[in-house]
Amino acid sequence: MGFFADSLARVQPSATIAVSTKARELKAAGRDIISLSAGEPDFDTPDHIKEAAKRALDAGKTKYTDVDGIPELKQAIIAKFKRDNGLDYTPTQISVGTGGKQVLYNALLATLNPGDEVLIPSPCWVSYADIVLLGGGTPVFVPTKPEDGYRLKPEALAKAINKKTKWLLFNSPSNPTGAAYSYDDLKVLTDVLLRPENDHVWVLTDDMYEHLLYDGLEFATPAQVEPELYDRTLTMNGLSKAYCMTGWRMGYAGGPEPLIKAMRKLQSQSTSNPCSITQWAAVEALNGPHDFIADNNRLFVERRDFVVAALNKAPGLSCLMPQGAFYAYPSCDGAIGKTSKGGVKITNDEDFATALLEEEGVAVVHGAAFAGSPAFRLSYATSLDALKDACARITRFCEALT
Ligand code: PLP
């Protein structure tokens, strides 16, 4: 028996963090690198939110707080769920954690037993499967297709459910594909979950990119679309993306009280409360002005439109138009089997991403990390100038493949 826990051997370090670290190292070594690997907006946190944090600091809000959130923040979250999603919660149905990641982690670790399966429509965020594995459960990918806009179809969901299925882990708009589900797209899925034979399946919905939705699409979340699912849905959200607060670490969820209580128990024995200053900043973020989000989204759309058009001109790539988040997810199927200018045989998307970084200095994350190959994810949450340069390099790389 080794020193390290067996459960650790089953998981991978986060691929997106690994690529970003490699890009930073190359940059530090003097290489000209454009990193499109990180999952965070390039915009700074809005001033009114920073000011709220400064006020909290000056007012001495520097002590331990309630484990799963101060009452003022829970009230702001309750108001947000009502305002944006038409969902009613009480304070004992709200959990606040150190990032959406911790909230997901709490929910899965508090509920999974060996043999329990978690359905994950793929391509999916890198951490889902690993968190399920750490919790002792079994991740089951349910592949979605580019021709369906990377959206899960009801037949595929129905087929994937069995007696061992505990959760459907749902994410819209999606990291990495940017696919988003309309009310109608969701309704056909919730109808499957309402079938009597599926009444043991719970929904963990990751609404992290709720506000980053484009082209006039309206956001929808499962418990809102199907109120009958309210008692078996955990609605997770956070401030990292739309509020440009990745470093502050703030996530939250609303759901059935026994589940929230179990999550609180776990958190009380791990990190305790999320940062007190962050919590006060979050109260302001949720209750304060939101117009900066529309301003940011206009820039995201401009960048998205540029990137998708540019990628579709590169030989061997094809890219769907993402409807939300700030990622493009081009297929690189047409590059597989070719050889790069530097002599690298491209046998899969990891080879593609590695050679692209080595030869052209553009950091992207290979699709295998998201259980969706052959493709890669690039984040367009960076300046248009950097994106123009990056897309020119990607095109040059693809044109040189033989
Ligand atoms: N869910 C999705 C789909 C994400 O992309 C991320 C971050 O990349 C998270 C959850 C976690 O966000 P955080 O822990 O910063 O709140």
Side-chain angles (χ1 to χ4, degrees), residues 256-316:
E257 192 173 327
L259 172 60
I260 297 293
K261 206 168 150 198
M263 290 162 65
R264 177 189 160 92
K265 185 170 166 188
L266 200 60
Q267 191 161 304
S268 77
Q269 295 296 10
S270 56
T271 57
S272 292
N273 61 274
C275 168
S276 56
I277 311 298
T278 293
Q279 290 190 67
W280 285 102
V283 172
E284 172 62 23
L286 291 172
N287 289 342
H290 279 74
D291 36 337
F292 67 92
I293 296 180
D295 295 342
N296 292 350
N297 284 359
R298 268 189 288 279
L299 290 175
F300 282 142
V301 166
E302 187 187 1
R303 296 162 176 187
R304 175 198 68 168
D305 292 350
F306 169 78
V307 162
V308 171
L311 291 172
N312 277 321
K313 283 190 204 125

Side-chain angles (χ1 to χ4, degrees), residues 205-252:
T205 178
D206 177 344
D207 296 354
M208 193 58 85
Y209 294 92
E210 168 177 11
H211 296 298
L212 305 182
L213 192 56
Y214 314 126
D215 308 328
L217 262 170
E218 265 189 46
F219 181 76
T221 191
Q224 171 192 30
V225 167
E226 182 44 78
E228 280 192 49
L229 283 178
Y230 176 86
D231 288 332
R232 47 186 169 115
T233 299
L234 185 73
T235 304
M236 190 276 270
N237 212 316
L239 300 191
S240 286
K241 313 291 175 171
Y243 296 85
C244 313
M245 293 178 71
T246 46
W248 297 70
R249 314 305 303 127
M250 170 53 54
Y252 60 86

Side-chain angles (χ1 to χ4, degrees), residues 132-146:
V132 170
L133 287 168
L134 279 172
T138 306
V140 177
F141 294 120
V142 190
T144 62
K145 301 185 196 128

